[in-house]
Amino acid sequence: MRRPVFLSRSAAMSTTALLLLITASGCASRQEGPPPLTPEQITQAHDRFLVRWDKNGDGVASCDDIRLIRSVIFNNVDLDQTRTLSETEFRRVVFEDKSYQLLILPDLDKNEDGSLSFEEFNAHPHYQFNYHDNNGDCIVDPEEAGEALRGQRRPGRRTRQGTPQDNAEGNGRRKVPDIEDIEN
């Protein structure tokens, strides 16, 4: 039978100090963050935003595009074509726009008439767009698109294909759920 090995107090403290040093150096290297984006990367990120969000074709990803996207959703789920959404119709919205996922119709029905007008429907913030519109001007400009790309490349984070991305944790941005593209 083997006898347990006990370290002396100084050896135990040295071992603990070494482990803390290794841990601290590992954490420090993760906080460095990704390298700055090149102008080409920023342009490519903005171009991807335009493909996804610029539904009116004006070359700008803006709140006008969100209104257009929501208009298409509203018209698609308004089965009886009354220009209002009933409770049953509203339940279909979450399949089109995930920002409504945790809501029920009374949460949005400001005039409490039991249905949603387009104005009530559209008044709900589009969390993913607003997340990227850092300055709140209703436009995602190239710098904001680049920042979005930078925020998506964190170490250990996996893309939809499952490959790790390379970026820093803790960039100060909150995490939002993905919202699938709405095609006209």
Side-chain angles (χ1 to χ4, degrees), residues 7 9-10 13 22 28 35 54 69 86 89 95 103-104 106 120-121 131 157 172 179:
L7 297 175
R9 184 178 213 171
S10 63
M13 288 174 45
I22 291 170
D54 183 20
I69 290 167
S86 67
E89 291 169 327
F95 297 106
L103 298 174
I104 56 174
E120 290 171 318
F121 175 74
Y131 171 76
R157 182 166 179 210
I179 298 174

Side-chain angles (χ1 to χ4, degrees), residues 22-42:
I22 291 170
T23 303
S25 66
C27 290
S29 67
R30 277 187 265 158
Q31 293 175 354
E32 292 172 11
L37 297 175
T38 66
E40 294 80 25
Q41 289 172 314
I42 291 172

Side-chain angles (χ1 to χ4, degrees), residues 1 18 26 33 37 65 67 70 72 76 86 108 122 127 135 155:
M1 181 169 177
L18 181 62
L37 297 175
D65 297 302
R67 186 172 174 83
R70 289 204 165 158
V72 169
N76 285 340
S86 67
L108 302 172
N122 192 51
Y127 293 122
N135 62 8

Side-chain angles (χ1 to χ4, degrees), residues 62-158:
S62 68
C63 289
D64 291 340
D65 297 302
I66 300 305
R67 186 172 174 83
L68 181 60
I69 290 167
R70 289 204 165 158
S71 176
V72 169
I73 293 170
F74 189 90
N75 291 332
N76 285 340
V77 298
D78 183 18
L79 300 176
D80 58 7
Q81 300 299 305
T82 59
R83 295 296 300 153
T84 61
L85 298 182
S86 67
E87 182 76 39
T88 303
E89 291 169 327
F90 180 71
R91 284 188 213 132
R92 297 182 59 205
V93 170
V94 298
F95 297 106
E96 304 288 334
D97 186 337
K98 303 293 189 253
S99 62
Y100 293 96
Q101 193 167 17
L102 300 176
L103 298 174
I104 56 174
L105 187 130
D107 292 339
L108 302 172
D109 185 13
K110 298 301 180 201
N111 64 2
E112 299 178 353
D113 66 352
S115 63
L116 284 183
S117 66
F118 178 71
E119 288 70 28
E120 290 171 318
F121 175 74
N122 192 51
H124 180 62
H126 194 290
Y127 293 122
Q128 190 176 31
F129 184 87
N130 292 352
Y131 171 76
H132 296 300
D133 180 20
N134 295 332
N135 62 8
D137 66 354
C138 268
I139 294 172
V140 176
D141 58 38
E143 290 75 27
E144 290 168 326
E147 183 60 31
L149 175 64
R150 219 175 122 79
Q152 291 174 357
R153 297 179 4 190
R154 294 190 294 261
R157 182 166 179 210
R158 300 205 170 269

